[in-house]
Amino acid sequence: MSRAFVKDDNEDRPSEELPERPVSDAPNYVTPEGLRSLRERVEQLAQEHARLREAAEAFEKPQLAVNERDLRYFQSRLESAIEVDVASEPKDEVHFGATVKTEDEDGKTNSFTIVGEDEADVKNNKISWVSPLAKALLGSRVGDTVTWNRPAGSTTLEVLDISYPD
């Protein structure tokens, strides 16, 4: 008998559920910019969700599942967001929201901005406040030397400048 006419045992089973996006146990600190971005992301996902539900095409169901998962994730992140007033941070010490200019052992300089987990963007030198680099820098002052423990080995960074957005 042809397999085309035999019912597969798996046909009645729902497709494997898409795993949820992992949510950090750390407090969800965000900059004012990060809070705006979270709100915009939730709005974009909600609009996309409405469009996908309206279309209701079979080929869009996987997209709908991804959208619903992401919408749940970003809504929960928005609900748990703790906005940090970076303008009130001490200007002479590295805290959340600071942009820190450093120099490594080889004389190479870099600038990093310490932001919330959902705001982190390595390409734009935005690092999460829970990252090893941020943890090494937090609490330091201009002229301090910190040790950044990396998987590739530890390196020493000198803090050259600290600034905060206006």
Side-chain angles (χ1 to χ4, degrees):
M1 178 182 271
S2 169
R3 294 283 307 150
F5 298 104
V6 177
K7 185 173 180 177
D8 187 355
D9 289 340
N10 293 329
E11 284 181 24
D12 290 333
R13 293 184 197 159
S15 61
E16 287 189 33
E17 284 192 31
L18 194 62
E20 290 297 318
R21 293 179 70 156
V23 177
S24 172
D25 292 332
N28 187 18
Y29 296 126
V30 295
T31 64
E33 180 183 329
L35 186 58
R36 277 191 302 281
S37 293
L38 275 174
R39 287 181 178 138
E40 288 170 4
R41 185 73 172 131
V42 167
E43 181 61 31
Q44 289 168 350
L45 287 166
Q47 289 174 3
E48 179 70 2
H49 184 261
R51 186 192 68 75
L52 290 169
R53 296 273 307 191
E54 190 175 302
E57 298 290 334
F59 60 88
E60 290 186 347
K61 286 188 180 184
Q63 285 178 296
L64 182 60
V66 170
N67 173 272
E68 288 174 342
R69 181 213 42 202
D70 290 350
L71 186 55
R72 283 189 303 275
Y73 173 81
F74 283 105
Q75 281 176 327
S76 73
R77 296 300 283 172
L78 182 57
E79 290 167 7
S80 67
I82 303 165
E83 184 178 8
V84 176
D85 179 12
V86 296
S88 68
E89 296 289 358
K91 305 298 183 225
D92 63 340
E93 194 171 280
V94 177
H95 290 280
F96 186 89
T99 298
V100 186
K101 183 177 181 181
T102 64
E103 182 177 342
D104 68 15
E105 299 160 337
D106 299 325
K108 183 178 177 194
T109 61
N110 284 297
S111 288
F112 306 98
T113 302
I114 301 172
V115 296
E117 291 179 273
D118 295 317
E119 300 174 75
D121 181 357
V122 176
K123 289 180 183 177
N124 290 309
N125 295 331
K126 293 182 176 184
I127 59 171
S128 168
W129 72 277
V130 296
S131 70
L133 175 55
K135 286 182 178 181
L137 291 168
L138 288 170
S140 62
R141 297 173 182 268
V142 172
D144 286 354
T145 301
V146 299
T147 301
W148 175 21
N149 296 315
R150 310 173 301 166
S154 297
T155 191
T156 302
L157 302 172
E158 180 183 353
V159 177
L160 300 177
D161 187 53
I162 303 167
S163 62
Y164 288 88
D166 294 328

